[in-house]
Short mmCIF file of all heavy atoms in Angstrom, two decimals:
data_model
loop_
_atom_site.label_atom_id
_atom_site.label_comp_id
_atom_site.label_asym_id
_atom_site.label_seq_id
_atom_site.Cartn_x
_atom_site.Cartn_y
_atom_site.Cartn_z
N PRO A 1256 50.69 -63.22 80.70
CA PRO A 1256 49.41 -63.91 80.90
C PRO A 1256 48.94 -64.65 79.66
O PRO A 1256 48.30 -65.68 79.74
CB PRO A 1256 48.43 -62.76 81.27
CG PRO A 1256 49.08 -61.54 80.78
CD PRO A 1256 50.55 -61.76 80.91
N PHE A 1257 49.30 -64.12 78.47
CA PHE A 1257 48.90 -64.78 77.22
C PHE A 1257 49.60 -66.13 77.10
O PHE A 1257 48.97 -67.13 76.69
CB PHE A 1257 49.24 -63.88 76.04
CG PHE A 1257 48.87 -64.48 74.70
CD1 PHE A 1257 47.53 -64.69 74.37
CD2 PHE A 1257 49.84 -64.84 73.79
CE1 PHE A 1257 47.19 -65.25 73.15
CE2 PHE A 1257 49.50 -65.38 72.57
CZ PHE A 1257 48.18 -65.58 72.25
N LEU A 1258 50.88 -66.21 77.45
CA LEU A 1258 51.60 -67.48 77.37
C LEU A 1258 51.07 -68.49 78.38
O LEU A 1258 50.95 -69.69 78.08
CB LEU A 1258 53.10 -67.24 77.59
CG LEU A 1258 53.84 -66.48 76.49
CD1 LEU A 1258 55.29 -66.26 76.88
CD2 LEU A 1258 53.73 -67.21 75.15
N ILE A 1259 50.73 -68.02 79.59
CA ILE A 1259 50.14 -68.91 80.59
C ILE A 1259 48.79 -69.42 80.09
O ILE A 1259 48.46 -70.60 80.25
CB ILE A 1259 49.98 -68.17 81.94
CG1 ILE A 1259 51.36 -67.77 82.48
CG2 ILE A 1259 49.25 -69.06 82.95
CD1 ILE A 1259 51.28 -66.95 83.75
N PHE A 1260 48.00 -68.52 79.49
CA PHE A 1260 46.70 -68.90 78.93
C PHE A 1260 46.88 -69.98 77.84
O PHE A 1260 46.15 -70.97 77.82
CB PHE A 1260 46.02 -67.66 78.37
CG PHE A 1260 44.72 -67.94 77.69
CD1 PHE A 1260 43.54 -67.99 78.41
CD2 PHE A 1260 44.66 -68.15 76.31
CE1 PHE A 1260 42.32 -68.24 77.79
CE2 PHE A 1260 43.45 -68.40 75.68
CZ PHE A 1260 42.29 -68.47 76.42
N LEU A 1261 47.83 -69.77 76.94
CA LEU A 1261 48.08 -70.74 75.87
C LEU A 1261 48.48 -72.10 76.43
O LEU A 1261 48.01 -73.14 75.94
CB LEU A 1261 49.18 -70.23 74.94
CG LEU A 1261 48.79 -69.14 73.92
CD1 LEU A 1261 50.01 -68.76 73.09
CD2 LEU A 1261 47.67 -69.60 73.01
N THR A 1262 49.31 -72.10 77.46
CA THR A 1262 49.74 -73.36 78.06
C THR A 1262 48.57 -74.12 78.67
O THR A 1262 48.40 -75.32 78.46
CB THR A 1262 50.81 -73.09 79.14
OG1 THR A 1262 51.90 -72.39 78.56
CG2 THR A 1262 51.30 -74.39 79.74
N ALA A 1263 47.75 -73.42 79.43
CA ALA A 1263 46.59 -74.05 80.07
C ALA A 1263 45.59 -74.56 79.04
O ALA A 1263 45.08 -75.68 79.16
CB ALA A 1263 45.91 -73.05 81.00
N VAL A 1264 45.34 -73.77 78.01
CA VAL A 1264 44.40 -74.18 76.97
C VAL A 1264 44.93 -75.37 76.19
O VAL A 1264 44.18 -76.32 75.86
CB VAL A 1264 44.10 -72.99 76.03
CG1 VAL A 1264 43.36 -73.47 74.79
CG2 VAL A 1264 43.26 -71.95 76.76
N ALA A 1265 46.22 -75.36 75.87
CA ALA A 1265 46.82 -76.46 75.12
C ALA A 1265 46.72 -77.76 75.93
O ALA A 1265 46.38 -78.84 75.37
CB ALA A 1265 48.27 -76.15 74.78
N LEU A 1266 47.04 -77.72 77.22
CA LEU A 1266 46.95 -78.90 78.06
C LEU A 1266 45.51 -79.40 78.16
O LEU A 1266 45.26 -80.62 78.09
CB LEU A 1266 47.49 -78.59 79.46
CG LEU A 1266 49.00 -78.39 79.58
CD1 LEU A 1266 49.35 -77.95 81.00
CD2 LEU A 1266 49.74 -79.65 79.23
N LEU A 1267 44.59 -78.48 78.29
CA LEU A 1267 43.18 -78.88 78.42
C LEU A 1267 42.65 -79.49 77.13
O LEU A 1267 41.93 -80.50 77.16
CB LEU A 1267 42.34 -77.66 78.82
CG LEU A 1267 40.88 -77.92 79.20
CD1 LEU A 1267 40.79 -79.00 80.26
CD2 LEU A 1267 40.24 -76.62 79.68
N ILE A 1268 42.98 -78.88 75.99
CA ILE A 1268 42.54 -79.44 74.71
C ILE A 1268 43.15 -80.82 74.48
O ILE A 1268 42.47 -81.76 74.01
CB ILE A 1268 42.89 -78.48 73.57
CG1 ILE A 1268 42.04 -77.21 73.66
CG2 ILE A 1268 42.68 -79.15 72.21
CD1 ILE A 1268 42.37 -76.17 72.60
N PHE A 1269 44.43 -80.94 74.78
CA PHE A 1269 45.11 -82.23 74.63
C PHE A 1269 44.42 -83.32 75.47
O PHE A 1269 44.17 -84.43 74.98
CB PHE A 1269 46.58 -82.10 75.02
CG PHE A 1269 47.32 -83.40 75.05
CD1 PHE A 1269 47.76 -83.99 73.87
CD2 PHE A 1269 47.58 -84.05 76.27
CE1 PHE A 1269 48.44 -85.21 73.90
CE2 PHE A 1269 48.27 -85.27 76.29
CZ PHE A 1269 48.69 -85.84 75.09
N PHE A 1270 44.09 -82.99 76.71
CA PHE A 1270 43.44 -83.97 77.57
C PHE A 1270 42.05 -84.32 77.07
O PHE A 1270 41.66 -85.50 77.02
CB PHE A 1270 43.36 -83.43 79.01
CG PHE A 1270 42.50 -84.28 79.91
CD1 PHE A 1270 42.99 -85.46 80.46
CD2 PHE A 1270 41.19 -83.90 80.21
CE1 PHE A 1270 42.21 -86.25 81.29
CE2 PHE A 1270 40.41 -84.68 81.03
CZ PHE A 1270 40.91 -85.87 81.57
N LEU A 1271 41.26 -83.30 76.69
CA LEU A 1271 39.89 -83.55 76.25
C LEU A 1271 39.85 -84.35 74.95
O LEU A 1271 39.01 -85.25 74.80
CB LEU A 1271 39.15 -82.22 76.08
CG LEU A 1271 38.79 -81.49 77.38
CD1 LEU A 1271 38.17 -80.15 77.08
CD2 LEU A 1271 37.84 -82.32 78.23
N VAL A 1272 40.72 -84.03 74.01
CA VAL A 1272 40.75 -84.78 72.76
C VAL A 1272 41.15 -86.23 73.00
O VAL A 1272 40.54 -87.17 72.48
CB VAL A 1272 41.71 -84.12 71.76
CG1 VAL A 1272 41.92 -84.99 70.53
CG2 VAL A 1272 41.16 -82.76 71.32
N LYS A 1273 42.19 -86.42 73.83
CA LYS A 1273 42.64 -87.77 74.15
C LYS A 1273 41.56 -88.56 74.87
O LYS A 1273 41.31 -89.74 74.58
CB LYS A 1273 43.90 -87.70 74.99
CG LYS A 1273 44.53 -89.04 75.30
CD LYS A 1273 45.80 -88.87 76.09
CE LYS A 1273 46.44 -90.23 76.43
NZ LYS A 1273 47.69 -90.08 77.22
N HIS A 1274 40.90 -87.91 75.84
CA HIS A 1274 39.84 -88.57 76.59
C HIS A 1274 38.64 -88.88 75.71
O HIS A 1274 38.01 -89.93 75.84
CB HIS A 1274 39.41 -87.69 77.77
CG HIS A 1274 38.50 -88.37 78.73
ND1 HIS A 1274 38.89 -89.42 79.52
CD2 HIS A 1274 37.18 -88.15 79.03
CE1 HIS A 1274 37.89 -89.82 80.28
NE2 HIS A 1274 36.83 -89.06 79.99
N SER A 1275 38.33 -87.96 74.78
CA SER A 1275 37.21 -88.18 73.87
C SER A 1275 37.46 -89.37 72.94
O SER A 1275 36.56 -90.18 72.68
CB SER A 1275 36.95 -86.92 73.06
OG SER A 1275 35.86 -87.09 72.18
N LEU A 1276 38.68 -89.49 72.42
CA LEU A 1276 39.03 -90.62 71.57
C LEU A 1276 38.96 -91.93 72.33
O LEU A 1276 38.50 -92.96 71.82
CB LEU A 1276 40.43 -90.42 70.99
CG LEU A 1276 40.58 -89.28 69.98
CD1 LEU A 1276 42.04 -89.13 69.57
CD2 LEU A 1276 39.71 -89.53 68.76
N ARG A 1277 39.38 -91.90 73.60
CA ARG A 1277 39.32 -93.10 74.43
C ARG A 1277 37.88 -93.52 74.67
O ARG A 1277 37.54 -94.70 74.61
CB ARG A 1277 40.03 -92.83 75.74
CG ARG A 1277 40.17 -94.07 76.64
CD ARG A 1277 40.80 -93.67 77.96
NE ARG A 1277 42.05 -92.94 77.76
CZ ARG A 1277 42.64 -92.23 78.70
NH1 ARG A 1277 42.06 -92.10 79.90
NH2 ARG A 1277 43.79 -91.62 78.44
N MET A 1278 37.01 -92.54 74.94
CA MET A 1278 35.59 -92.85 75.15
C MET A 1278 34.94 -93.37 73.89
O MET A 1278 34.07 -94.25 73.94
CB MET A 1278 34.86 -91.60 75.65
CG MET A 1278 35.20 -91.20 77.06
SD MET A 1278 34.25 -89.77 77.60
CE MET A 1278 32.58 -90.41 77.48
N ARG A 1279 35.34 -92.84 72.74
CA ARG A 1279 34.74 -93.28 71.47
C ARG A 1279 35.11 -94.73 71.20
O ARG A 1279 34.31 -95.50 70.65
CB ARG A 1279 35.23 -92.39 70.33
CG ARG A 1279 34.69 -92.77 68.98
CD ARG A 1279 35.06 -91.75 67.92
NE ARG A 1279 34.46 -90.46 68.21
CZ ARG A 1279 34.60 -89.40 67.42
NH1 ARG A 1279 35.32 -89.47 66.32
NH2 ARG A 1279 34.00 -88.27 67.74
N MET A 1280 36.30 -95.12 71.56
CA MET A 1280 36.73 -96.52 71.34
C MET A 1280 36.00 -97.46 72.30
O MET A 1280 35.72 -98.62 71.95
CB MET A 1280 38.25 -96.64 71.56
CG MET A 1280 39.07 -95.89 70.52
SD MET A 1280 40.85 -95.98 70.85
CE MET A 1280 41.10 -97.76 70.73
N MET A 1281 35.66 -96.97 73.49
CA MET A 1281 35.00 -97.82 74.49
C MET A 1281 33.50 -97.82 74.35
O MET A 1281 32.83 -98.78 74.74
CB MET A 1281 35.39 -97.38 75.90
CG MET A 1281 36.87 -97.50 76.21
SD MET A 1281 37.30 -96.82 77.83
CE MET A 1281 36.27 -97.82 78.89
N ALA A 1282 32.94 -96.73 73.77
CA ALA A 1282 31.48 -96.60 73.70
C ALA A 1282 30.91 -97.48 72.61
O ALA A 1282 31.54 -97.75 71.59
CB ALA A 1282 31.11 -95.14 73.45
N THR A 1283 29.69 -97.94 72.84
CA THR A 1283 29.01 -98.77 71.83
C THR A 1283 28.35 -97.91 70.78
O THR A 1283 28.21 -98.32 69.63
CB THR A 1283 27.93 -99.64 72.52
OG1 THR A 1283 27.05 -98.78 73.26
CG2 THR A 1283 28.60 -100.62 73.49
N GLY A 1284 27.88 -96.73 71.17
CA GLY A 1284 27.22 -95.83 70.23
C GLY A 1284 28.11 -94.66 69.89
O GLY A 1284 28.96 -94.26 70.67
N ALA A 1285 27.90 -94.09 68.72
CA ALA A 1285 28.75 -92.98 68.26
C ALA A 1285 28.36 -91.66 68.88
O ALA A 1285 29.14 -90.73 68.90
CB ALA A 1285 28.70 -92.89 66.74
#
Side-chain angles (χ1 to χ4, degrees):
F1257 180 66
L1258 291 177
I1259 297 175
F1260 176 86
L1261 283 180
T1262 303
V1264 168
L1266 289 174
L1267 189 52
I1268 291 177
F1269 174 78
F1270 171 79
L1271 288 175
V1272 171
K1273 184 178 179 180
H1274 189 67
S1275 180
L1276 292 175
R1277 186 184 307 164
M1278 288 183 61
R1279 180 173 296 182
M1280 294 177 62
M1281 297 175 59
T1283 55

